Amino acid sequence: MSVIALTSAHGAPGVTTSAFALTSVWPQVRPGRRVLLIDADPAGSGLMTGPLRAGIPDGLGISVLAAVRAPLSVEQLIGCCVALDPAAARMVLPGVSDPRQARPLGPTWVALVDVARGLSASGVDVLVDVGRLGHQWEPTVWLTAADLLAVVVRGDLATVLPATAAVRALTANRPAGSAVVGVVVDPGPYTSAEIATALGVREVLTLPSDVRTARALMEGGTGGWIDRSALLRSARSVVQRAAELVPDVEPVVAR
């Protein structure tokens, strides 16, 4: 697999929670592969008040990486990440805490696209939390370069209608044939097919509105009932389908 970006067009449908849920279950669904969640939300990191609320050690995070002279290397990227488990099967590149810090990051995001592809070829899948569309310092390169772009919505008109226009614009700016899918948090009274048709995407992947589990997960909870929850069971299905939509990148073999 290569790069999967998650974004939203309106409100707060749960982009960060969805991305973190997928990251949490990734090694279970994709044995032998690791996952890196890049926190690229220019409005400010939702992870800083959740899983990373204890603070970021000095020398880690996107702001540190931005000070490194391009071209960036896989080793430099990994060196700025926080490992979420002892084996570093799940990693996070922490984002910005203040939107003003996002202003100079454009060149860094561009440089990271090629690094992300290098990671994928070496066995690390990459998720990117882009946040809500339309921010002044939006990391647009991820929206166009990601191999799979997921637009997160809730199953109501207030989020589906703005997302429909956004999907059209995003699709027009992406390479022909590249995938755009919907991720629906709580489909409500609608079927997946109905939401896919409304959004103009070929399919939608669903996650439940599971507030209790989402809160526990974002507070650092693991194991037990959290692993058995509806949210993480659905997250495993989403990861599996994403792996089918975006095949693994073949390792580069030196000649």
Side-chain angles (χ1 to χ4, degrees), residues 1 14 18 24 34 71 93 99 122 147 153 168 178 181 205:
M1 189 178 295
S18 298
S24 298
R34 298 188 292 161
L93 177 66
S122 61
D147 299 283
V153 300
R168 286 198 299 267
S178 60
V181 300
L205 313 175

Side-chain angles (χ1 to χ4, degrees):
M1 189 178 295
S2 289
V3 180
I4 300 174
L6 294 91
T7 189
S8 69
H10 180 77
V15 175
T16 297
T17 301
S18 298
F20 192 70
L22 300 182
T23 300
S24 298
V25 302
W26 204 275
Q28 301 171 20
V29 182
R30 306 270 289 156
R33 293 187 69 86
R34 298 188 292 161
V35 62
L36 167 62
L37 173 58
I38 296 179
D39 187 358
D41 188 345
S45 172
L47 298 176
M48 297 289 194
T49 56
L52 303 181
R53 66 189 181 284
I56 307 301
D58 291 341
L60 303 183
I62 186 60
S63 296
V64 174
L65 196 62
V68 178
R69 180 177 297 180
L72 300 176
S73 68
V74 167
E75 292 74 22
Q76 288 169 325
L77 171 55
I78 296 298
C80 287
C81 292
V82 174
L84 299 178
D85 54 72
R90 299 169 299 128
M91 301 173 285
V92 174
L93 177 66
V96 299
S97 57
D98 186 325
R100 291 172 293 184
Q101 297 173 314
R103 180 176 182 176
L105 294 180
T108 304
W109 297 133
V110 172
L112 278 179
V113 169
D114 287 338
V115 181
R117 298 195 188 287
L119 274 172
S120 183
S122 61
V124 181
D125 297 321
V126 179
L127 299 178
V128 186
D129 177 358
V130 177
R132 182 175 171 179
L133 295 168
H135 192 280
Q136 184 178 11
W137 311 119
E138 177 182 275
T140 306
V141 65
W142 292 117
L143 301 175
T144 56
D147 299 283
L148 180 67
L149 178 59
V151 179
V152 182
V153 300
R154 291 192 179 274
D156 57 61
L157 293 177
T159 56
V160 171
L161 289 181
T164 299
V167 166
R168 286 198 299 267
L170 290 167
T171 302
N173 290 322
R174 286 174 53 78
S178 60
V180 178
V181 300
V183 172
V184 183
V185 179
D186 185 12
Y190 305 103
T191 66
S192 296
E194 288 172 332
I195 296 175
T197 299
L199 288 176
V201 298
R202 64 186 186 184
E203 68 178 284
V204 298
L205 313 175
T206 61
L207 294 170
S209 179
D210 186 350
V211 176
R212 177 178 178 236
T213 303
R215 182 181 297 115
L217 189 66
M218 294 298 281
E219 290 176 352
T222 58
W225 66 269
I226 297 177
D227 281 347
R228 297 188 297 272
S229 67
L231 175 59
L232 293 196
R233 290 200 308 270
S234 296
R236 293 183 189 101
S237 296
V238 170
V239 172
Q240 182 60 53
R241 181 57 181 149
E244 294 167 355
L245 291 170
V246 187
D248 290 338
V249 173
E250 292 296 328
V252 176
V253 178
R255 294 182 181 276

